[in-house]
Amino acid sequence: MIGIGAEPGAHECSRAGCRLTATWRIGWRNPRIHAADREKVWLACDEHVDYLRDFLEARSFPVAVTAFADGSGQ
């Protein structure tokens, strides 16, 4: 995931080892340590969006997946 190996580029998929251009924005938070107004963001390519969403949902984290089109990553 994030933080392993090289730093991802500004618009690259957050899946470890993937350097494809992101087309999805995954907003999430860990409710045990983050307040409701705190959101973390991962970016995903078409190939990894389901994997990353399922990874977070398996941990019961609130997740929102939207198209990544604005180029800001936020």
Side-chain angles (χ1 to χ4, degrees):
M1 306 312 293
I2 300 218
I4 298 174
E7 289 291 319
H11 304 289
E12 290 179 352
C13 180
S14 296
R15 175 76 165 108
C18 183
R19 295 296 174 243
L20 295 176
T21 300
T23 53
W24 298 98
R25 178 189 185 279
I26 304 171
W28 65 279
R29 69 181 180 87
N30 180 340
R32 288 174 288 217
I33 61 174
H34 298 129
D37 63 342
R38 169 79 191 275
E39 181 183 64
K40 298 187 76 110
V41 175
W42 285 352
L43 299 178
C45 65
D46 289 337
E47 182 178 345
H48 294 119
V49 66
D50 292 334
Y51 174 86
L52 293 171
R53 181 188 60 235
D54 293 347
F55 177 89
L56 295 165
E57 287 179 344
R59 288 149 181 81
S60 299
F61 294 168
V63 177
V65 178
T66 56
F68 176 67
D70 68 355
S72 74
Q74 300 297 319

